């Protein structure tokens, strides 16, 4: 039996589905051993709503999913993984449960049956109101149209059905044959529109099917984590990934409880959004985040700054909109305001009421004005973390200056965030509002409304700041190695808007903006789009996924059509999820289909031929940095080969594990992870990061660093090429060099030995990355 590494070397994320269960994961263990993976990282494992393809809609009582293999199947997977030296991490979802079908969620069914008197009412964040003189009525946001209630039905078991929704009814309130609308009037709930300002429960973001749990209550924590305690008692897991940390009422206290439950040695990773300049609180009892902030850093390092300027001009020509920093900032504020008012008016009301309770003498309307004015310009994802306090108080004062006459409301808000521990309910309600507004407005809506360069529109990224200097790249990596050496590094995940390989190719557009401009102008003449801004976003995705060796097949055409519809509805400009405009959608679908054949396809193929090679080169270089830079690389299923996924569910397509192992990406990963296994001290808690100096006129094309153990000379060097569209020939590369640390260095791929001052043409040849190991005789 092989020993699981004490510190992780690399994780491998597997998306479990009814068709890919614990048993199927067992079947890929040998492949993961060859790749060099140290830890499996499994998507949610609990019983979920019937037919769930992701598991985030789990249902109580919490138990391992029988569909996935149950406890026995999980034990078998754990045992076989341990036998080959692979640990197991699981994705846990403490925030919410699935409620679409009450027949499968006994807690929610009890709430529907008994309302506020349910023994489980306190498990949920309920907000009953008075309706038609009846107190404690729970409003359910299930109405899309005024005539929806005409489709309400009652089954023989006493459950009400409305479209996909199934609701339990109060005891004795329904009999077979009853008029369902009359039965509804006897319940503790009523239906309303999802945009109503009076909703009866807090949702995960604005997703009606997911009801938030009050995990901050000890009883609820125990009820939702007992299964985890049992897995720990049997030593069946090596750590957890916490979904959507910012959705919890009190993240630090939750994490302290979780750490106590799983013990000091198991790993805890949190899904936590951080602004570009925001730091993770080092006092949290965790090993790091899931890596969006490192994704942003790597993405920015491979984006050409001069091209961004030209792309802004092209974007303005195409759409009539600016894509530069200040215009995007204005648009972001407008979108946050719009989203807060349209999607989260209920949460705004809850937040304002909580702040008003701190200052009851202040008129409520002034408090609401202050809260709204504070949320709109906020730059941190969640304002109640201690390290954000100074920034938050500054934002409050800036908002005060912009809204004269609401001083009393801002005073109340300042009181809350100056002493959040004294006002936990108000601090949480405002922070929760801030978090959901940021996620929904920017990542879900905003990233589908702007499109200067969509590779910079990704989780953790800020399209206002799409690039980073080499010096800042190295400084942030140095800090990460010192403070968060075991934090995950993501390139592709189940949540990313597009995979790392697709982003790498799209980013090359910034290196050839003039050629891109010619393509866009030509396509717009050949086949004018019905909506320019939407078309510009879609075209970049089409180019990012276009086959490097041919024309899209029917499968890709279907995938692009599905993505097109989703992207348009997320943007909510010409259509939306709430009010689909089928005719407008079809116009754009027809336009996309027209690009996939004939002369448009010929021109796109020619452009892809120009950028595909550099895109793959840079995908390999990014991968090497993720594998050997500070942190622990998280490899998403299938991305050990070329992976051209768009947003979910496209990125959850079944993986063909029969692909060859001599693929350049597979080989690179296995070489890099073998190196980490030989030198664990250089990459874990005792590891160091040393920036290496580039020389020559083309030095900007190199990113180079060394890794070692504290107090010892470095043992690994990585030299990566970036912006390779203009850095491909030997003549180009002869104009860049790097000073290697003292000693002799062996290239793990070619066995060539280097030392001292080395030119890039000698070091890299025609490759995009060189990985060097200190020679054995040193």
């Amino acid at each position: 039996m092989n020993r699981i590494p004490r510190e992780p070397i690399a994780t491998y994320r597997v998306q479990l589905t009814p068709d890919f269960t614990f048993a199927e994961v067992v079947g890929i263990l040998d492949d993961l051993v060859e790749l060099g993976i140290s830890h499996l990282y499994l998507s949610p494992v609990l019983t979920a709503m019937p037919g769930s393809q992701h598991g985030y809609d789990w249902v109580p009582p919490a138990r391992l999913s029988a569909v996935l293999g149950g406890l026995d199947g999980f034990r078998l997977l754990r045992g076989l993984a341990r036998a080959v030296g692979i640990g197991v991490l699981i994705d846990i979802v403490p925030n919410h449960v699935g409620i679409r079908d009450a027949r499968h969620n006994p807690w929610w069914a009890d709430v529907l049956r008994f309302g506020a008197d349910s023994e489980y009412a306190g498990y949920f964040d309920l907000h009953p109101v008075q309706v038609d003189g009846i107190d404690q009525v729970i409003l359910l946001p299930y109405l899309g149209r005024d005539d929806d209630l005409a489709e309400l039905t009652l089954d023989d078991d006493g459950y009400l059905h409305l479209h996909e929704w199934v609701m339990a009814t109060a005891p004795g309130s329904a009999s077979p044959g009853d008029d369902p609308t009359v039965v509804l009037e006897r319940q503790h709930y009523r239906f309303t529109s999802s945009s109503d300002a009076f909703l009866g429960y807090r949702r995960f973001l604005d997703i009606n099917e997911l009801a938030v749990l009050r995990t901050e209550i000890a009883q609820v924590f125990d009820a939702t984590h007992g299964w985890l305690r049992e897995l720990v008692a049997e030593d069946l897991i090596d750590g957890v990934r916490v979904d959507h940390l910012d959705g919890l009422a009190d993240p630090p206290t939750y994490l302290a409880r979780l750490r106590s439950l799983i013990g000091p040695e198991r790993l805890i990773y949190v899904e936590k959004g951080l602004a570009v300049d925001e730091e993770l609180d080092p006092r949290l009892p965790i090993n790091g985040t899931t890596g969006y902030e490192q994704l942003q850093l790597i993405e920015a390092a491979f984006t050409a700054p001069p091209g961004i300027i030209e792309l802004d001009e092209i974007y303005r020509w195409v759409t009539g909109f600016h894509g530069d920093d200040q215009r995007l900032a204005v648009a972001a504020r407008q979108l946050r305001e719009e989203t807060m008012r349209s999607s989260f008016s209920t949460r705004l009301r809850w937040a304002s009421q909580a702040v008003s309770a701190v200052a009851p003498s202040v008129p409520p309307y002034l408090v609401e004005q202050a809260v709204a004015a504070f949320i709109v310009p906020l730059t941190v994802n969640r304002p109640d973390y201690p390290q954000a306090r100074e920034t938050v108080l500054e934002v409050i004062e800036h908002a005060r200056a912009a809204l004269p006459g609401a001083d009393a409301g801002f005073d109340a808000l300042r009181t809350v965030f100056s002493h959040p521990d004294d006002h936990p309910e108000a601090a949480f309600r405002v922070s929760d509002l801030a978090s959901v507004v940021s996620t929904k407005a920017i990542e879900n809506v905003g990233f589908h409304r702007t499109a200067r360069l969509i590779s910079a529109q990704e989780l953790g990224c800020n399209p206002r700041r799409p690039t980073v200097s080499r010096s800042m790249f190295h400084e942030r990596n140095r800090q990460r190695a010192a403070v968060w050496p075991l934090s995950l590094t993501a390139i592709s995940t189940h949540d990313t808007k597009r995979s790392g390989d697709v982003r790498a190719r799209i980013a090359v557009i910034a290196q050839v903006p003039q050629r891109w401009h010619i393509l866009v102008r030509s396509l717009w003449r050949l086949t004018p789009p019905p909506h320019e801004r939407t078309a510009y976003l879609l075209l970049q995705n089409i180019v990012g996924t276009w086959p490097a060796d041919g024309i899209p097949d029917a499968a890709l055409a279907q995938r692009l059509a599905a993505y097109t519809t989703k992207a348009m509805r997320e943007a909510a400009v010409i259509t939306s999820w709430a009010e689909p405009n089928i005719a407008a959608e079809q116009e754009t679908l027809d336009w996309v289909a027209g690009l996939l054949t004939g002369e448009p396809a010929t021109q796109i193929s020619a452009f892809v031929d120009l950028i595909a090679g550099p895109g793959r080169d840079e995908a390999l270089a990014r991968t090497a940095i993720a594998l050997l830079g500070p942190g622990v690389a998280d490899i998403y299923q299938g991305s050990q080969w070329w992976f051209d996924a768009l947003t979910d569910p496209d990125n959850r397509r079944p993986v063909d594990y029969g692909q060859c192992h001599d693929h350049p990406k597979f080989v690179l990963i296995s070489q890099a992870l073998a190196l980490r296994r030989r030198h664990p001290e250089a990459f874990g808690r005792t590891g160091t990061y040393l920036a290496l100096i580039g020389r020559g006129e083309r030095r900007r094309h190199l990113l180079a660093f060394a890794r070692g153990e504290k107090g010892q000379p470095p043992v690994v060097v990585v030299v990566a090429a970036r912006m390779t569209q203009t850095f491909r020939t030997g003549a180009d590369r002869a104009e860049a060099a790097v000073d290697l640390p003292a000693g002799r260095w062996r290239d793990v791929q070619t066995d060539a030995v280097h030392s001292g001052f080395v030119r890039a043409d000698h070091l890299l040849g025609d490759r995009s990355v060189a990985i060097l190991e200190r020679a054995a005789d040193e």
Side-chain angles (χ1 to χ4, degrees):
M1 180 178 291
N2 295 315
R3 185 176 65 85
I4 298 170
R6 183 175 62 87
E7 296 181 343
I9 293 169
T11 63
Y12 188 89
R13 167 77 180 206
V14 172
Q15 289 295 114
L16 299 166
T17 71
D19 298 316
F20 199 83
T21 67
F22 301 145
E24 280 71 37
V25 178
V26 167
I28 67 170
L29 288 175
D30 288 344
D31 292 343
L32 301 187
V33 169
E34 183 177 346
L35 198 60
I37 298 300
S38 66
H39 288 74
L40 267 172
Y41 163 19
L42 302 176
S43 64
V45 297
L46 296 181
T47 299
M49 280 287 166
S52 176
Q53 294 293 309
H54 49 75
Y56 289 98
D57 52 352
W58 73 274
V59 293
R63 60 209 182 280
L64 292 184
S65 169
V67 172
L68 299 180
L71 181 57
D72 288 341
F74 189 80
R75 285 174 175 146
L76 178 62
L77 171 58
R78 166 62 161 180
L80 294 175
R82 175 180 278 162
V84 295
I86 291 179
V88 176
L89 308 177
I90 57 175
D91 192 345
I92 64 172
V93 188
N95 304 281
H96 52 262
V97 289
I99 61 169
R100 174 175 48 82
D101 189 337
R103 294 172 298 185
H104 299 281
N105 186 332
W107 295 355
W108 185 248
D110 200 74
V111 167
L112 295 180
R113 288 191 180 103
F114 301 103
D117 293 329
S118 167
E119 63 176 301
Y120 296 106
Y123 283 40
F124 297 92
D125 194 355
L126 300 178
H127 295 262
V129 296
Q130 186 181 79
V131 176
D132 297 330
I134 303 173
D135 289 327
Q136 302 295 297
V137 175
I138 301 169
L139 294 179
L140 305 179
Y142 302 164
L143 296 181
R145 306 185 309 271
D146 292 339
D147 60 351
D148 272 354
L149 283 181
E151 301 183 36
L152 185 68
T153 61
L154 178 71
D155 67 22
D156 291 341
D157 295 319
Y159 286 88
L160 288 170
H161 295 248
L162 181 66
H163 304 308
E164 73 275 19
W165 297 98
V166 182
M167 285 76 53
T169 56
S173 67
S175 299
D178 283 355
D179 183 336
T181 58
V182 174
V183 172
L184 177 61
E185 293 174 357
R186 301 169 184 159
Q187 305 310 312
H188 300 279
Y189 54 85
R190 297 289 186 275
F191 299 140
T192 187
S193 168
S194 60
S195 61
D196 198 305
F198 295 91
L199 302 185
Y201 64 95
R202 182 159 60 96
R203 305 168 292 180
F204 170 66
L205 300 180
D206 60 343
I207 301 174
N208 295 334
E209 294 89 343
L210 301 176
V212 169
L213 292 168
R214 297 187 64 192
T215 317
E216 68 274 16
I217 298 173
Q219 181 183 5
V220 181
F221 180 92
D222 292 340
T224 54
H225 290 70
W227 68 282
L228 190 60
R229 195 181 305 276
E230 294 171 2
L231 296 189
V232 169
E234 284 196 52
D235 193 24
L236 293 179
I237 62 168
D238 298 289
V240 299
R241 177 258 197 194
V242 180
D243 180 64
H244 191 53
L245 180 69
D246 285 339
L248 298 170
D250 185 356
T253 299
Y254 170 82
L255 291 173
R257 285 176 174 167
L258 181 63
R259 174 56 74 192
S260 177
L261 187 156
I262 72 169
E265 298 302 321
R266 289 183 177 84
L267 299 163
I268 298 179
Y269 291 112
V270 298
E271 185 190 29
K272 171 79 176 81
L274 296 169
V276 172
D277 293 326
E278 187 179 0
E279 296 182 1
L280 185 66
D281 189 345
R283 294 168 293 183
L284 294 176
I286 62 176
N287 299 95
T289 71
T290 52
Y292 299 152
E293 70 282 356
Q294 195 69 356
L295 182 157
Q296 183 276 330
L297 182 64
I298 294 172
E299 190 66 49
F302 282 85
T303 302
I308 292 295
I309 299 172
E310 291 193 56
L311 287 176
D312 185 62
E313 294 300 318
I314 298 169
Y315 182 65
R316 184 169 53 178
W317 170 79
V318 170
T319 70
F321 292 88
H322 280 276
D324 63 18
D325 182 7
Q326 294 306 313
R327 302 299 179 97
L328 282 176
V330 172
R333 291 189 179 196
Q334 291 172 342
L335 188 53
R336 288 170 67 92
E337 173 86 24
E338 172 190 325
T339 301
M340 179 176 58
R341 300 290 184 182
S342 62
S343 298
F344 301 113
S345 57
T346 297
R347 274 175 156 105
L348 174 59
R349 185 170 57 86
W350 294 343
S352 301
Q353 289 173 345
V355 175
S356 289
V358 174
S361 62
V362 179
Y365 76 92
L366 290 181
V367 172
E368 181 169 322
Q369 286 180 2
V371 170
F374 166 67
I375 294 295
V376 168
L378 194 60
T379 55
V380 297
N381 202 49
R382 179 159 168 162
D384 59 346
Y385 285 97
Q387 76 276 14
R389 186 165 303 167
E390 182 177 345
T391 298
V392 166
L393 295 179
E394 289 178 358
V395 173
I396 290 173
E397 294 311 311
H398 285 305
R400 183 200 300 269
L403 187 64
D407 278 348
F410 286 111
D411 289 342
L413 203 55
R414 187 176 183 88
T415 297
V416 168
F417 285 102
S418 295
H419 307 284
D421 293 341
D422 296 335
H423 311 288
E425 175 69 7
F428 162 63
R429 292 296 175 187
V430 177
S431 298
D432 173 65
L433 175 63
S435 177
V436 296
V437 166
S438 178
T439 300
K440 175 70 176 180
I442 305 304
E443 294 177 4
N444 292 0
V445 178
F447 283 0
H448 293 94
R449 284 193 182 181
T450 190
R452 175 175 56 180
L453 182 67
I454 64 171
S455 54
Q457 293 166 204
E458 189 51 86
L459 298 180
C461 296
N462 184 341
R464 292 175 53 200
R465 299 172 62 178
T467 65
V468 67
S469 67
R470 285 178 298 150
S471 60
M472 181 57 68
F473 172 84
H474 289 308
E475 175 57 23
R476 284 175 57 184
N477 272 319
R478 185 193 64 76
Q479 293 175 359
R480 195 173 205 245
V483 181
W484 296 106
L486 301 185
S487 195
L488 293 182
T489 297
I491 294 291
S492 300
T493 78
H494 62 289
D495 280 330
T496 46
K497 306 299 181 186
R498 48 200 64 85
S499 65
D501 292 344
V502 172
R503 292 198 312 275
R505 181 191 286 183
I506 292 172
V508 179
I509 291 174
Q511 300 173 39
V512 291
Q514 295 178 0
R515 293 291 296 272
W516 169 252
H517 196 185
I518 292 171
L519 173 67
V520 175
R521 280 185 175 272
S522 180
L523 293 176
W524 259 235
R525 285 195 299 269
L526 284 170
T527 174
H531 188 272
E532 289 84 357
R533 188 162 35 144
T534 299
Y536 197 66
L537 178 142
L538 293 172
L539 179 60
Q540 291 178 62
N541 283 284
I542 291 169
V543 166
T545 56
W546 195 272
D549 55 357
I551 300 299
D553 58 16
L556 179 55
Q558 291 177 350
R559 291 170 51 208
L560 288 171
Y563 173 80
T564 295
T565 300
K566 180 171 183 175
M568 286 192 291
R569 291 186 180 182
E570 290 285 358
V573 174
I574 57 177
T575 185
S576 69
W577 294 108
E579 297 181 5
N581 184 334
I582 303 302
E585 291 176 3
Q586 191 59 52
E587 285 184 334
T588 299
L589 286 167
D590 291 344
W591 179 79
V592 168
L595 296 180
L596 308 186
T597 60
E599 180 59 22
T602 299
Q603 295 192 15
I604 294 174
S605 291
F607 182 77
V608 168
D609 187 58
L610 175 70
I611 67 171
R616 288 192 167 177
D617 285 346
E618 297 195 10
L620 292 174
R622 293 169 182 226
T623 299
I625 291 173
L627 294 165
L628 297 173
V632 175
D634 171 32
I635 300 168
Y636 186 65
Q637 62 175 27
S639 64
Q640 63 265 48
W641 302 287
W642 300 131
F643 184 52
D644 69 344
L646 297 172
T647 191
D648 72 289
D650 190 63
N651 58 18
R652 295 199 301 268
R653 287 173 290 142
V655 176
D656 175 12
Y657 284 100
Q659 297 178 66
C660 65
H661 288 193
D662 60 356
H663 186 280
K665 210 171 175 191
F666 193 108
V667 171
L668 174 66
I669 293 171
S670 60
Q671 289 174 337
L673 296 186
L675 194 59
R676 286 191 70 135
R677 286 182 181 272
R678 293 197 293 272
H679 303 285
E681 302 85 0
F683 296 95
R685 292 180 175 90
T686 61
T688 59
Y689 178 93
L690 174 67
L692 299 183
I693 304 302
R695 306 291 186 187
E697 292 185 7
R698 307 297 292 275
R699 61 184 179 275
R700 68 184 182 280
H701 289 278
L702 297 180
L703 286 175
F705 58 86
R707 305 301 308 275
E709 183 181 5
K710 291 178 182 176
Q712 301 295 324
V715 293
V716 172
V717 165
V718 177
V719 181
R722 63 178 189 151
M723 293 174 268
T724 56
Q725 176 64 34
T726 56
F727 191 64
R728 298 180 66 77
T729 69
D732 293 332
R733 296 185 173 197
E735 297 179 7
V738 63
D739 282 323
L740 298 176
R744 299 171 65 249
W745 296 88
R746 182 186 67 87
D747 189 310
V748 300
Q749 185 175 15
T750 67
D751 281 330
V753 176
H754 304 279
S755 61
F757 181 84
V758 186
R759 284 186 357 207
D761 56 334
H762 294 161
L763 186 61
L764 294 172
D766 61 357
R767 299 172 299 162
S768 61
V769 63
I771 301 173
L772 312 178
E773 181 178 18
R774 184 173 291 279
D777 56 355
E778 281 292 317

